[in-house]
Amino acid sequence: MKNIKEFNLDDLKQELEALGEKKYRAEQIFKWIYVDKVKEFDEMTNLSLELRTKLKQNYTMCNFNILKKQESTDGTKKYLFDVLDGNAIETVLMQYHHGKTICVSSQIGCKMGCKFCASTGIKFIRSLTAGEIVEQILAVEQDIGDKISNVVFMGIGEPFDNYENVMKAIKIINNQKGLNIGARHISISTSGLVPMIYKFADEELQCTLSISLHATNDEKRSKMMPVNNKYNIKELMEACKYYIQKTNKRISFEYALAKDNNDNLEDAKELVKLLKGMLCHVNLIPINKIENGNYSKSSNENIIKFRDYLNDNGIVATIRRELGSDIDAACGQLRRKNLKSNK
Ligand code: SAH
């Protein structure tokens, strides 16, 4: 059976027509799902019993079960969702002054192998479908009874390794008749899959692109991120420049500071050289220590020094607020779980 949340409104209209129904029924269903946030076809009371039965015979609502919910002292919530096939993924909700931001997962596991990330130490199972990405937002909105204003693709997985489904999910999330979260309120973070950066640039979407840079030379970056062996810094920077030129949008470079690894003044100098003149912003992340990880957090003093050096030398840099680290919900701390083996 198909998941009804796989369809954007136009596709849903076609589905309904194929079932011999009028197109406007699709709008009604879309509203029930994304505005009224019902969980069952039977709650769609302006549809005939016959149509509801037809829908139940052809589609599922794919409602994720919440297996676990943890709340941090800073208000961050981490959800463990049963994705209905024996696997579970994590999704994080963060509260900022300007609204609620959800950090969604795009895959069950991750293939990228970054040495400092907890999502790495676990087997890659599969990519999530567009409907499963969208469901994370719906399930959290249902749970909190409130609207989410921003979406970041920074949970488990590499969004550009699941490109088509992520783009499809964005179209559903964007729809003004549904969740109505504008592209400007959506960020996608990639470890640097160069061909996909070019493809994404050509979409000319208003989403923010974040690049996990983390090091300024190939030797260091390859040690931290194996993807650098495939697409090195030079190729990555060329793709970023193309993106900026094509979209006229600022790129956000993520740089996780690890003690005695990439956090000294020499690194800051190299970073300035690398990014000088680019329309960009640097997001410094105090690295979160993970189980069995070799990297540890840079001192606060050092992080501030690093930021100030960048700012003094013409590169806008901010330090990412650490949210949810007490419940392992911070950057790089998310893991998938297998429900059967409980690993
Ligand atoms: N796969 C994508 C998105 C996932 S992670 C990517 O690599 O960009 C979101 C951000 O958290 C990335 O910049 C990632 O490099 C960073 N991150 C991973 N592990 C971390 C850790 N232990 N501490 C701090 N940031 C980490």
Side-chain angles (χ1 to χ4, degrees):
M1 268 209 281
K2 299 183 209 171
N3 171 6
I4 194 112
K5 292 165 189 163
E6 290 298 328
F7 304 105
N8 67 33
L9 186 52
D10 289 339
D11 293 341
L12 196 57
K13 284 180 185 166
Q14 285 182 10
E15 288 284 314
L16 268 287
E17 272 194 314
L19 287 178
E21 296 289 334
K22 295 264 184 321
K23 277 190 199 170
Y24 77 93
R25 293 289 182 200
E27 297 221 5
Q28 291 178 317
I29 296 168
F30 206 75
K31 180 170 178 288
W32 279 118
I33 298 174
Y34 297 105
V35 179
D36 303 306
K37 301 188 179 52
V38 302
K39 288 188 172 181
E40 304 301 334
F41 290 114
D42 279 333
E43 292 176 75
M44 303 181 180
T45 48
N46 57 0
L47 307 183
S48 68
L49 191 62
E50 190 199 337
L51 176 54
R52 280 184 256 156
T53 309
K54 220 193 255 185
L55 291 173
K56 278 191 272 183
Q57 283 164 350
N58 288 280
Y59 304 97
T60 66
M61 286 287 279
C62 175
N63 298 310
F64 285 173
N65 303 317
I66 300 175
L67 294 170
K68 196 169 165 187
K69 186 165 81 176
Q70 287 166 277
E71 186 158 355
S72 156
T73 48
D74 62 33
T76 300
K77 291 190 176 84
K78 183 170 79 168
Y79 294 84
L80 181 68
F81 286 121
D82 169 5
V83 300
L84 312 173
D85 70 347
N87 290 297
I89 50 153
E90 293 184 324
T91 303
V92 176
L93 177 74
M94 294 159 289
Q95 333 254 359
Y96 291 102
H97 300 301
H98 57 267
K100 294 185 162 59
T101 297
I102 189 170
C103 176
V104 294
S105 291
S106 55
Q107 296 181 312
I108 306 178
C110 186
K111 294 183 214 160
M112 306 317 291
C114 301
K115 297 285 183 285
F116 47 87
C117 180
S119 304
T120 283
I122 43 181
K123 208 172 114 211
F124 174 80
I125 303 285
R126 66 174 173 87
S127 284
L128 292 174
T129 65
E132 289 169 328
I133 293 170
V134 170
E135 173 60 14
Q136 294 171 61
I137 305 173
L138 270 178
V140 172
E141 286 197 346
Q142 281 157 349
D143 183 60
I144 60 174
D146 199 359
K147 262 202 73 61
I148 282 164
S149 46
N150 295 275
V151 179
V152 298
F153 283 84
M154 296 189 187
I156 304 163
E158 167 51 52
F160 280 0
D161 186 37
N162 185 19
Y163 189 87
E164 298 305 330
N165 290 341
V166 166
M167 291 306 126
K168 202 170 149 196
I170 289 175
K171 294 212 172 83
I172 301 171
I173 297 166
N174 271 174
N175 197 302
Q176 292 183 344
K177 291 185 172 156
L179 288 169
N180 191 21
I181 302 175
R184 284 174 202 280
H185 298 274
I186 300 174
S187 294
I188 302 183
S189 179
T190 179
S191 56
L193 295 184
V194 164
M196 295 301 147
I197 296 173
Y198 284 102
K199 201 165 177 191
F200 186 64
D202 292 338
E203 309 265 355
E204 297 189 52
L205 281 173
Q206 291 300 317
C207 303
T208 300
L209 178 63
S210 295
I211 303 282
S212 296
L213 184 60
H214 305 317
T216 52
N217 61 63
D218 285 325
E219 196 191 336
K220 214 175 263 189
R221 191 164 188 269
S222 295
K223 270 191 197 143
M224 300 173 79
M225 307 176 70
V227 65
N228 196 69
N229 292 312
K230 191 150 188 206
Y231 305 111
N232 65 23
I233 294 181
K234 186 166 173 279
E235 292 167 294
L236 179 60
M237 286 302 140
E238 276 165 15
C240 290
K241 284 176 185 156
Y242 176 82
Y243 173 87
I244 293 168
Q245 181 224 329
K246 189 79 201 267
T247 63
N248 204 22
K249 282 186 66 72
R250 185 180 299 272
I251 286 187
S252 174
F253 286 101
E254 294 158 293
Y255 192 99
L257 289 156
K259 189 167 179 271
D260 300 329
N261 171 55
N262 60 354
D263 69 338
N264 64 39
L265 203 58
E266 276 313 303
D267 295 291
K269 278 184 189 161
E270 276 195 47
L271 192 54
V272 168
K273 246 193 252 159
L274 193 65
L275 303 182
K276 198 91 197 171
M278 273 174 93
L279 184 60
C280 70
H281 165 260
V282 174
N283 206 205
L284 298 169
I285 317 175
I287 208 158
N288 293 300
K289 191 150 176 55
I290 54 160
E291 232 178 279
N292 306 326
N294 291 326
Y295 299 101
S296 56
K297 195 175 286 183
S298 201
S299 69
N300 282 346
E301 193 193 347
N302 216 32
I303 295 173
I304 290 168
K305 241 198 244 164
F306 202 98
R307 179 199 60 193
D308 291 348
Y309 183 85
L310 296 181
N311 282 332
D312 291 346
N313 287 279
I315 306 285
V316 182
T318 50
I319 300 170
R320 184 178 288 176
R321 256 178 76 207
E322 264 181 284
L323 293 175
S325 55
D326 55 337
I327 53 167
D328 280 353
C331 301
Q333 294 186 312
L334 303 188
R335 307 170 61 99
R336 70 157 185 88
K337 296 213 169 37
N338 182 298
L339 299 184
K340 289 181 199 107
S341 66
N342 206 23
K343 267 184 206 145

